[in-house]
Structures are given as C-alpha cells and as structure tokens.
Amino acid sequence: MSQSRSPQEIRIQNEINHKKIANVHENRATEILKKVRESKPQIDIERGLYFTKSFQKTEGQPLILRWAKALKYYAENASIYIDENQLIVGRSGKPGRYGILYPELDGDTLDEAIKTLPSRDVSPFDITPEDAKIITEQITPYWKGKTFHEDLAKALPRETKKLTYNGDKELTSRYIVNETASFRSSLQWVHDYEIVLEKGFEGIKEEALERLQQLDSDSPVDQTEKRPFLEAQIITSDAIILWAERHAKLAKELSAKQRDADRKKELKIIAEICERVPRYPARTFYEALQSQWFTQMFSRIEQKTGTIISNGRMDQYLYPFYQKDIKEGRITDEQVQELFECMWVAMSEFVDLYLSEAGGSFNEGYAHWEAVTIGGTTKKGYDATNELTYILLKSKREFPLNYPDLAARIHMGSPKRYLYEVAETIKDGTGFPKLINDDEVVPILLSKGASLKEAYDYSVSGCAECRMPNRDTYTSPNAYINFAAALEMVLYNGKMKKYGDEIVGLETGNFEDFESFDEVLEAYLKQQKNLIRHAFIQQHEIIRLRGEHFATPLGSSLHKLCRESYKDLHQPSIPGGIDLGYFEFIGYATVVDSLSAIKKLIFEEKRLTKKELLEAVNNDFKGYEAIRQLLLHAPSYGNDDSYTDEIGQLLDLEAQKFTHKYGKELGVHMDLRLVPFTSHVPFGKVIGATPNGRFSYTPLSDGSSASQGADLNGPTAVLLSNYKTKNFDYEDHAARLLNIKLSPSCVEGENGTEKLVQFIKAWHDLRLWHLQFNVLNTETLRQAQKQPQLYKNLLVRIAGYSAYFTELSKDLQDDIIARTEHEEVS
Ligand code: 8X3
C-alpha cells in the first residue's frame, strides 16, 4: 500500500482517531448534515396521496390540467417544514432523509413494495404503519390498471417483452433489454432557471393570462389544446407561489416565537424572501438561490426525473446577483458559500426512491445527482469562469457531501487557475468534479442543429449528458442494453445460462461450428443488432404512450418552445426542438475483451479450442484456472492495443449505423451512450462466465472503462484506447463515461497536481467526452468493507455521481476494489 493518503482519507482517519478534523470547515450546514447522515430514509406519502386524491376528482379533464390541479392541491395541503438553523427552505417530505411516491408510474405495485422496502439490502426505506395503511387502502387501489408501466407492458410485442420482463411479472426485469421508463417519468433535465429569476412565476402567469384573452373562442385547437396549456400554466404558477407563501407564513410564526435574537432575525428574513420569490423577480443572491430551490423542489413534486432536475450553470445565472451584492456590500464570499452549503444539505435530504428492483439496483447508494455545471464558455465562446466558479469548487473540497454533483466543463481556453483548482479538488478524493469536454460536446450539438450560442451555453445534466435549456425537447427514458447477453447468446446459440433452455436471442449457430473469427464476429453483430432492434421497439411504444400518462406544466412553463407551441414537454414532438435520446451499451469492455480473447487464443494462436473455452465458461472456470489465466492475459481494451481497440471501434460503429438509420423513424437522435449508473452490477448477475476470464454473475465492465484490473499500461493508455475505439465521423453517439482510479501518491504535492493537469489536457486534446476519478488507496476500501461503522463517511465515485461506500452493495464494493489503481499518471 502506498503511504500517501488523499485529504478525504486523512479526514476519515482523523474521525476514527477522534482527532480534530482540520481540513473540514464547520458551519451551520455541517451541523445539519451530521443529523441528516444519522437518519434512515423514510417514505413520505403526501405527494402520492394528494396526487391520487386530486386525480380522483379530475377524471376526464385534459392531462396537463389534471397535473396542474394536483400540484395546486399538494401546495394547499402538504405539510410545510422549516428546519432548525436552515437558511434555505422548502422540502417535499418529512424531516431527515425522505423519499416520495409517484404512483402514476408504478403505483399498482406499491402495496407489495412497501413490504420489502424497509429490509431491502440496497437503499432501504422505512415506513410508518399508518402510512402503509393509507397506501394499501387509498393509493394503490386507485392506480391499479392505470399506471404507465402496466400500459407499456401491454403494448410491447411478445418477442420484445421476452427480453424485457420476467414472464408475467411485469416490472421485474430480465436485465437484457431494460426499459427505464417504468421507473422514471423523464430523462435527466435542466430548466431555464433564468426566466424564474428574471420574471418570477407572477410574470409567467401574467403572460399566460394575456395569451388566454387572445384565444379564438371558435377555434377547436385554441379551445382544446391551447386553453388547457395556458390554464395549467396559471394554476401551476399559483401553486408554487402559494407553496412559498405558506413557508413565509410559517417563518413569520416561528420568528415570533423564537427567543434567540439571531435566529429570530434569520427567520424574519426567510419570511420576507419567501413572500418575494419565486413569485417576483429575484433582486439579491439570497433571493435568487431560494427562488431556484423552490423551483427545483416543486419539480420533484411534479414528476420523477431520472437523476433529478439538474442545477444548470449556477456560476453563470447567479453571477449577476453575486456581483451586485458584492459591489453593494450586501454579502461576502463566506456567506455565499454557506448559502450554497445550506442548499446542498437540503438536497441530500431528498432521496430518490425506486420501487422496482431494477430502478433500485441501477441507482445504488441513494443516488441522485442534480449536477451543478461550472466553467466552460460564455454564449459568445469566451472563457466563462468567474468568482462563483471558484467558490463552488472550494465548497466541494470543504463540505463533505456527495450532493450535488459537480461538473466542470473544460475547453481549449480554460484558464490555468481553473485547471489547477479542478485538479486540486479531484485530489481531495471524493470524486468531484467530473469533467466534460466542450471540444467534443459542442461540435456534436452543432451537428444536431444547435446554433453556436446554444451549444456554447450547454449545461451538464445527469451523469454526463448535456442539455441546452429552451432547445432540447426529448424526455423519454431510454433502454439499457446488456451486450454481454448478446455475447453469451453467441456462445450458446441464442440461449443464456441464466435462462436455461429458453431461446432468448437469435439462433446464430453452434459456437463449436464457427470456423473463423469472422464467423464469430458476424454472429455477435447479429445478436447485438437484434437487441438494439428490440430496444428501439420499446422506445417507439414509450414515445407513443408517455404523453397519455405524464404531463409537466411546470417544466413546460420553463421552456420557451413549449410556451410558444402550447405543448407539454412530454408530447412526442415539440416544434423547433432538438430531440436528444439515447440507448445504452452496457458491458462494453467485457464484450470487446471476450471477442479479442476468442480471436487471439482460438483462431490465431490456437492455444485453446472452442470446446475447451465452452467447458471452462460453462463451469465458471472451476477446474479451469489455467484457461482463465490464459484468457485474462489476452489483449484487452484499455491498454492502447490496436488489436482489441479495432474490435471495440467496430462494435461502436455498427451500433451507430443502426441508430443512424432507424433513429429517424422515431423522430429522435437516438444516440449510442456508454453510461451505466450501476446497471453493470445487476446486468452482470444474469451473465455467466465470459471469455475474458470474468467469473459468472459478477459485474460487467462499467461505461467506457476497462474491464476490472485489465488496464495495465497506465491511465494514458486507457485514454488512447477510448480514443481509438470512437468513430469521430459518426454523430450518433453521446456520452462515454470513463472511470479512472489513481493512487494518492501519484498525484501528491504540486508536482502531482501538475501531472494531473497535464493528464486532463491530454484527455481534452483527445476529444473524449467525460472523465472522472477515484483518488484513494484500494486498501482503504478493503478496510471500509471490514469495519463499515468506522468508514461511514467515505465517499467513492460511481457513475456520474459519488456515494457513500458503505451504502453500496457488496458486489459494487468489490467491483470498485477490483478496478486498477494506477500508480503513475502517465
Ligand atoms: C443518465 C441519466 O436520465 O439520461 O445520466 O438516463 S439519464
């Protein structure tokens, strides 16, 4: 084990030794955080209950109006809380950590789910007996037969369904072609927060009222489409204004009762701010932040968004308020940081609750990541970093929390100070920030039809996605495809070990009969294409059905194109929009390495027969360790080895060719993406041993990273493999998530920072999309597995987010441990 430790590891060690923690600051937010961390997440039923009650009363009305009325009903009835010591107020559930219910997605299964949620291995939630009774008697019965997932399951053709669900048990996944629309109603998203800060919801409402007056009373379109849209905007604006006003009232009452003079004053200010925003335009930094927070919290009430609504470019849209306050002596940098941290801790109290097993296992560690974007360029293409950028980076170094995620945009003009502070923050070891490459993303967005201004102004959203608020219009959740299943179907002629004698894929022939690697490859590509084909069929049905089940009057009010076209964002096509959709390649390196081993060892060097390989994988390498070693030492992805990388590039190309041709039929850019969340773990659980030496039912490789432990030539070789497997002439790709684990010793000191900056520059020059790091000693992870109670604050990087290591499943923990810890940044 290297002697050097990351700042995070030093903090944890100090905690263990009960030493004063020198490198963490103490403020009110850290105090609140301590309490929050001790609370086990609870289910809060109010959102589910009030939506159900409102929906019962609005049957037969236009969906967008029903949604707006449900939001209003919630705002009128929901409990209002103001936490002790908090400066930012507005929560959508009870004190402590809480998850809320979205029964329109899968509410028919709620009564069953609550029986297992409290004792679930991964991400458990408690529920009170009274609330469980309300769910069983009042919520579930209404939704049975009406949920989105039930309709989707009915709509899928038999062959597609076979790859999606476990027989009749809809919503239980087969982890082959996994739809994700049943457990979230929207993809990750970013609002246009600027309109809220500039006009307030009163301004949005006034505009809708004016347009309502202008409608043609004889026009069927005006009366049946435009009128409900505008009325929904008005009701939703009233709802959020009312919700804020109820907070103002409570703050006033608490202030009147408060004995402590300082807190009394704080509560009075909170009351004044909540009376002002989000109703009216924000005037100060504090008002702007509170207004944004009310907006994003109400969005969580509105719908379940994959990874949660992102925070957008906070260092840009908040900057004018910051500058004005600083100039007028109204705020200090320390106060700005404290306000941010009050917001971060409030964010961590909301926990994304998934009922389905797939939803839960795709998002391990109570994951949600409402990315804050920093850096990048202005709309004019100049560097955009400012004082807020550095306050946000500082907060991430000093405030030990995994929410929100921080995404640093890097472009060719990123200043030296920025790159160094980004590197210093990465060295802290908690996984922040992730890096997104402007010089890869901006050209891709241009190729989709964006203007330069729109592309320069993109926000990072979710794991590694990029959104252009007011231009992006596609929200249909996408398929996660297990490509290791395609590989297994080649080995077993359409079957998978896990699913016995059932033919799940195509019958591409007996593996032992293949006479050349080309025949194996051809069979694999057929299986790969077949899975993509079914993913697209799923997507077709998802697009068709979503608009009948979901509406987002708040989200649509904050989108220029929706306002202009009077269309809800969930409708299949918004005029003028750019539809950026995805499908996921899961198990990339597992497949590439397996094909590479087959090619090398069976067909070229003839060191192994097909029969021997089949016997070895069939027996999970028991009694075949020599063969496993041979396979592990075959050329593998992540080592800058063209032998393997050419195979990877071909698979990428074939997948992009398919979407290039058929994405158009769906009316969407259905881009190939390599972003796993934690799906590579449950996907691995249905895949037997693979020809890259991987044992049965263990995790697949993640994102575009190398197979666990296979990258032996240093991290630059990993970058080069990633570069060489891309098809830069194809625009049908999106994010490739890349995880690199570094030992703290190799980035130690100023010299280490300099090396890390050079590495980031190399990544940038290679035009790779995404990059993130774990900087820690693998030994620390092993210790944390042995003594979880001592390491409960240890954060690790997962997919596009960080999570507490001890809140992850053993499988995922083992996966992170098994990844190569690079000892040199070269
Ligand atoms: C992945 C989130 O919503 O695009 O970061 O699938 S989503």
Side-chain angles (χ1 to χ4, degrees):
M1 175 184 164
S2 95
Q3 291 309 301
S4 175
R5 286 177 299 170
S6 66
Q8 173 179 224
E9 288 172 303
I10 295 169
R11 278 198 298 272
I12 305 268
Q13 200 54 55
N14 285 345
E15 267 173 25
I16 294 172
N17 299 336
H18 306 289
K19 274 200 198 154
K20 171 127 186 64
I21 305 175
N23 52 351
V24 167
H25 67 184
E26 298 269 338
N27 64 14
R28 72 176 68 227
T30 44
E31 282 306 308
I32 304 172
L33 179 62
K34 274 183 209 148
K35 282 194 211 141
V36 171
R37 289 280 299 129
E38 277 154 22
S39 67
K40 180 176 170 191
Q42 308 281 317
I43 296 177
D44 186 287
I45 61 162
E46 288 196 352
R47 192 272 179 195
L49 180 64
Y50 295 134
F51 259 63
T52 305
K53 287 192 169 185
S54 178
F55 266 61
Q56 280 166 332
K57 286 192 266 179
T58 58
E59 300 242 348
Q61 299 181 20
L63 191 60
I64 191 164
L65 215 45
R66 296 182 78 191
W67 225 272
K69 288 180 181 175
L71 284 171
K72 183 87 183 302
Y73 191 71
Y74 175 88
E76 287 162 353
N77 293 290
S79 308
I80 299 290
Y81 307 92
I82 291 183
D83 298 331
E84 208 183 314
N85 248 340
Q86 250 295 8
L87 294 177
I88 298 290
V89 301
R91 47 190 304 137
S92 49
K94 49 178 84 164
R97 292 200 279 177
Y98 62 93
I100 64 176
L101 304 173
Y102 302 90
E104 63 274 22
L105 277 162
D106 47 13
D108 58 303
T109 65
L110 250 176
D111 49 352
E112 284 302 312
I114 54 171
K115 291 181 192 156
T116 54
L117 271 166
S119 56
R120 206 160 66 175
D121 278 352
V122 178
S123 315
F125 282 82
D126 273 348
I127 182 157
T128 65
E130 300 77 45
D131 285 350
K133 192 162 179 285
I134 293 175
I135 286 178
T136 319
E137 292 176 0
Q138 299 185 44
I139 302 181
T140 308
Y142 176 74
W143 292 101
K144 282 208 192 282
K146 296 191 185 73
T147 63
F148 175 76
H149 97 83
E150 289 167 288
D151 261 14
L152 177 62
K154 265 186 240 139
L156 294 181
R158 202 173 58 82
E159 283 300 304
T160 308
K161 207 167 161 179
K162 191 171 81 177
L163 295 165
T164 312
Y165 306 118
N166 263 323
D168 291 337
K169 290 198 211 129
E170 288 151 8
L171 215 62
T172 62
S173 180
R174 281 209 132 176
Y175 298 110
I176 303 174
V177 183
N178 210 115
E179 56 91 1
T180 60
S182 287
F183 58 74
R184 51 201 184 132
S185 33
S186 168
L187 285 170
Q188 35 65 35
W189 200 250
V190 188
H191 290 316
D192 170 16
Y193 293 111
E194 280 172 66
I195 189 176
V196 180
L197 304 185
E198 278 167 20
K199 294 190 176 176
F201 280 94
E202 194 64 34
I204 293 171
K205 178 181 159 182
E206 270 167 26
E207 195 184 292
L209 278 167
E210 269 170 37
R211 296 174 82 200
L212 201 57
Q213 299 305 319
Q214 290 155 13
L215 292 185
D216 177 343
S217 57
D218 294 332
S219 157
V221 172
D222 278 21
Q223 294 307 319
T224 60
E225 290 178 23
K226 296 182 183 176
R227 178 175 288 282
F229 182 89
L230 293 171
E231 285 178 353
Q233 273 196 292
I234 294 162
I235 296 168
T236 304
S237 300
D238 283 343
I240 192 168
I241 291 168
L242 172 67
W243 195 54
E245 278 172 356
R246 291 185 63 209
H247 284 84
K249 186 164 172 281
L250 179 61
K252 244 188 240 164
E253 287 165 11
L254 292 173
S255 176
K257 284 190 227 150
Q258 180 60 246
R259 296 232 176 97
D260 179 276
D262 289 343
R263 184 62 184 160
K264 195 178 188 66
K265 198 169 152 207
E266 280 172 8
L267 286 162
K268 195 166 162 280
I269 294 171
I270 290 172
E272 285 162 11
I273 290 178
C274 297
E275 265 165 15
R276 169 90 202 168
V277 295
R279 179 171 198 162
Y280 299 112
R283 296 165 302 185
T284 63
F285 181 84
Y286 193 175
E287 284 182 0
L289 205 63
Q290 180 63 60
S291 188
Q292 195 269 27
W293 177 247
F294 272 136
T295 308
Q296 66 160 295
M297 282 315 278
F298 217 56
S299 298
R300 296 175 198 216
I301 298 298
E302 182 174 62
Q303 64 174 354
K304 188 170 180 67
T305 309
T307 83
I308 305 300
I309 299 279
S310 295
N311 282 296
R313 303 188 73 184
M314 283 187 123
D315 63 353
Q316 303 305 302
Y317 63 78
L318 291 174
Y319 192 55
F321 300 96
Y322 165 85
Q323 263 185 317
K324 187 161 175 278
D325 281 6
I326 290 282
K327 197 166 151 218
E328 294 171 8
R330 201 176 297 117
I331 206 163
T332 63
D333 283 0
E334 288 69 34
Q335 287 169 324
V336 167
Q337 187 169 335
E338 184 176 59
L339 283 172
F340 274 134
E341 288 167 4
C342 282
M343 194 188 209
W344 305 161
V345 73
M347 245 168 235
S348 77
E349 291 176 64
F350 173 97
V351 180
D352 217 2
L353 165 59
Y354 290 91
L355 301 188
S356 73
E357 186 194 85
S361 63
F362 279 24
N363 294 274
E364 277 202 36
Y366 298 112
H368 55 93
W369 50 106
E370 42 282 272
V372 171
T373 305
I374 54 168
T377 60
T378 63
K379 284 181 199 169
K380 291 188 172 183
Y382 298 107
D383 179 64
T385 50
N386 59 39
E387 294 93 310
L388 279 182
T389 316
Y390 294 106
I391 292 175
L392 287 161
L393 276 164
K394 185 163 179 273
S395 168
K396 265 298 165 205
R397 289 194 295 272
E398 294 180 353
F399 194 65
L401 179 65
N402 54 332
Y403 306 104
D405 196 37
L406 189 67
R409 283 179 47 177
I410 309 287
H411 66 106
M412 62 177 88
S414 288
K416 194 170 169 188
R417 175 181 171 196
Y418 178 64
L419 293 175
Y420 278 73
E421 287 214 19
V422 162
E424 282 296 332
T425 312
I426 291 169
K427 280 172 59 174
D428 185 70
T430 51
F432 304 107
K434 62 189 169 199
L435 311 178
I436 304 290
N437 193 340
D438 282 9
D439 293 290
E440 162 71 341
V441 169
V442 169
I444 287 281
L445 294 177
L446 294 177
S447 79
K448 312 281 184 192
S451 70
L452 257 175
K453 279 195 180 78
E454 288 165 339
Y456 280 146
D457 197 30
Y458 80 86
S459 294
V460 179
S461 177
C463 278
E465 292 62 50
C466 299
R467 290 278 173 210
M468 297 173 289
N470 290 322
R471 193 72 209 274
D472 258 292
T473 40
Y474 191 71
T475 58
S476 291
N478 53 309
Y480 277 56
I481 307 178
N482 190 340
F483 286 98
L487 177 81
E488 213 178 15
M489 290 166 188
V490 174
L491 297 181
Y492 302 119
N493 195 12
K495 296 179 192 160
M496 290 169 66
K497 271 206 85 157
K498 172 84 182 174
Y499 298 120
D501 283 337
E502 186 189 354
I503 309 277
V504 268
L506 303 175
E507 290 178 84
T508 41
N510 287 326
F511 182 71
E512 285 190 57
D513 294 340
F514 293 131
E515 287 182 359
S516 66
F517 177 68
D518 283 350
E519 287 182 20
V520 175
L521 191 61
E522 192 189 332
Y524 171 78
L525 290 174
K526 275 188 193 154
Q527 302 282 7
Q528 170 172 309
K529 186 168 154 184
N530 184 48
L531 297 190
I532 303 176
R533 196 167 71 78
H534 287 288
F536 276 48
I537 291 172
Q538 276 181 2
Q539 204 67 15
H540 183 268
E541 294 308 298
I542 289 166
I543 294 169
R544 188 175 68 76
L545 288 171
R546 281 178 71 253
E548 295 168 16
H549 284 266
F550 309 121
T552 166
L554 180 65
S556 309
S557 292
L558 305 183
H559 198 300
K560 184 168 157 270
L561 297 176
C562 294
R563 292 195 302 276
E564 280 173 9
S565 63
Y566 306 86
K567 275 191 191 298
D568 186 274
L569 196 50
H570 288 318
Q571 291 303 318
S573 168
I574 309 291
I578 296 181
D579 286 338
L580 299 177
Y582 318 101
F583 70 99
E584 223 71 54
F585 197 135
I586 305 296
Y588 185 63
T590 307
V591 174
V592 174
D593 291 353
S594 295
L595 289 171
S596 173
I598 291 170
K599 182 177 180 190
K600 186 83 177 172
L601 299 174
I602 295 180
F603 294 101
E604 284 183 12
E605 294 184 354
K606 303 196 190 321
R607 295 169 74 187
L608 198 61
T609 66
K610 288 167 271 183
K611 189 163 184 284
E612 284 167 335
L613 176 74
L614 281 181
E615 276 173 8
V617 292
N618 227 332
N619 288 290
D620 198 16
F621 301 113
K622 279 186 201 81
Y624 295 87
E625 185 53 26
I627 291 186
R628 182 166 174 266
Q629 287 305 321
L630 206 57
L631 296 167
L632 285 173
H633 289 92
S636 45
Y637 169 78
N639 292 295
D640 184 22
D641 182 342
S642 300
Y643 187 88
T644 332
D645 296 348
E646 276 167 16
I647 297 174
Q649 193 186 31
L650 179 72
L651 306 194
D652 179 278
L653 178 67
E654 289 299 315
Q656 287 200 58
K657 273 187 188 165
F658 187 94
T659 185
H660 194 76
K661 185 162 176 200
Y662 296 104
K664 289 188 188 73
E665 282 185 17
L666 300 179
V668 180
H669 299 278
M670 281 291 288
D671 295 331
L672 172 65
R673 194 173 72 170
L674 276 67
V675 176
F677 303 1
T678 52
S679 66
H680 63 293
V681 178
F683 276 19
K685 285 189 181 157
V686 300
I687 302 294
T690 40
N692 64 332
R694 173 191 148 277
F695 285 119
S696 290
Y697 311 128
T698 57
L700 306 177
S701 60
D702 82 283
S704 67
S705 315
S707 296
Q708 296 82 347
D711 42 338
L712 300 170
N713 287 344
T716 305
V718 179
L719 298 186
L720 287 166
S721 276
N722 213 306
Y723 174 75
K724 283 158 59 191
T725 49
K726 287 188 75 159
N727 289 279
F728 285 98
D729 55 338
Y730 267 72
E731 68 212 29
D732 304 271
H733 67 267
R736 278 177 158 223
L737 187 133
L738 181 57
N739 260 310
I740 301 248
K741 189 160 102 186
L742 296 177
S743 106
S745 62
C746 69
V747 287
E748 199 173 9
E750 277 179 34
N751 189 25
T753 308
E754 177 63 36
K755 281 198 268 180
L756 190 51
V757 167
Q758 293 311 322
F759 185 72
I760 292 170
K761 284 186 174 170
W763 161 83
H764 168 264
D765 290 350
L766 290 169
R767 285 185 292 133
L768 304 180
W769 187 296
H770 164 279
L771 180 61
Q772 64 183 22
F773 298 91
N774 270 304
V775 179
L776 41 68
N777 292 288
T778 307
E779 187 51 32
T780 303
L781 301 177
R782 291 204 184 92
Q783 287 302 328
Q785 263 190 331
K786 280 190 209 144
Q787 296 175 291
Q789 69 288 1
L790 296 181
Y791 288 83
K792 66 179 181 2
N793 288 329
L794 178 67
L795 286 169
V796 287
R797 194 69 186 165
I798 313 283
Y801 66 99
S802 297
Y804 292 101
F805 184 72
T806 56
E807 289 184 352
L808 306 174
S809 69
K810 168 93 171 35
D811 291 315
L812 185 55
Q813 290 180 352
D814 287 345
D815 170 40
I816 298 168
I817 288 174
R819 294 176 194 170
T820 303
E821 178 187 330
H822 293 281
E823 296 285 347
E824 272 303 323
V825 195
S826 60

